[in-house]
Amino acid sequence: MRLLFFEDSKAAVNNVCDLNGYLFLSMGQKLYARAFEQDEFLLAVGFLDVGVHVKSLTALKNFLLIGDEQQSISLVAFQEDPYKLVLLGRDYRPSRVGSANFIVNEGKVAFVSSDDGGNLRLFEYDPTSASSCLSSFQLLLPNTSS
């Protein structure tokens, strides 16, 4: 292996993922977008205040799913021209998320998260719902009473 870049960070980097050739990392309460320029350095192209402690960071197409230690999950979009990170929605029910991921099934996208209490939550995003930003995330539970 060959070291391509080194940088002292001001805080611990909790999560790292890539999306369309960009590097996303969570550090403290911020999410940073970086571009690797001329095979020499990482150029900061954007940032977003995301929560208390990011535990999970997952990318799909131009979307990032963020699982937070205290604030449940958030859905963020990344735009390249101009560079922009946009919070699309969030689950406002407090949950200590350990991991979160996308589920793609029959052309629909859902989100799944697990918490430290052993709970599994399945959400869907409904941008047409005016009830709240991501309580348009709706909790889906299987019927186990048969």
Side-chain angles (χ1 to χ4, degrees):
M1 287 192 201
R2 173 172 78 103
L3 180 64
L4 296 175
F5 179 78
F6 178 84
E7 176 183 81
D8 276 331
S9 60
K10 296 175 179 135
V13 175
N14 298 322
N15 289 280
V16 177
C17 77
D18 74 295
L19 182 106
N20 298 335
Y22 295 91
L23 177 68
F24 290 85
L25 51 101
S26 64
M27 191 180 334
Q29 296 178 344
K30 295 202 182 298
L31 175 69
Y32 293 94
R34 302 266 185 103
F36 197 53
E37 292 292 322
Q38 303 166 355
D39 291 336
E40 292 182 15
F41 59 93
L42 283 172
L43 176 68
V45 296
F47 74 93
L48 181 71
D49 292 319
V50 289
V52 176
H53 180 74
V54 176
K55 295 278 288 196
S56 172
L57 183 60
T58 309
L60 177 70
K61 297 210 178 217
N62 286 344
F63 301 100
L64 294 162
L65 186 62
I66 301 167
D68 189 80
E69 173 73 18
Q70 296 180 0
Q71 296 182 0
S72 196
I73 63 174
S74 302
L75 182 63
V76 173
F78 176 64
Q79 173 184 306
E80 291 182 56
D81 190 21
Y83 293 118
K84 189 188 297 188
L85 287 162
V86 178
L87 178 67
L88 296 177
R90 157 180 283 154
D91 174 30
Y92 288 103
R93 292 169 289 234
S95 175
R96 297 175 60 94
V97 172
S99 65
N101 211 329
F102 293 94
I103 296 176
V104 180
N105 186 19
E106 296 179 8
K108 291 187 175 187
V109 177
F111 318 102
V112 64
S113 72
S114 63
D115 64 23
D116 64 349
N119 300 307
L120 190 64
R121 291 181 168 89
L122 185 61
F123 302 93
E124 65 181 357
Y125 178 57
D126 181 8
T128 62
S129 173
S131 60
S132 79
C133 198
L134 257 205
S135 75
S136 48
F137 268 18
Q138 296 178 1
L139 189 58
L140 304 173
L141 297 173
N143 185 354
T144 57
S145 61
S146 45

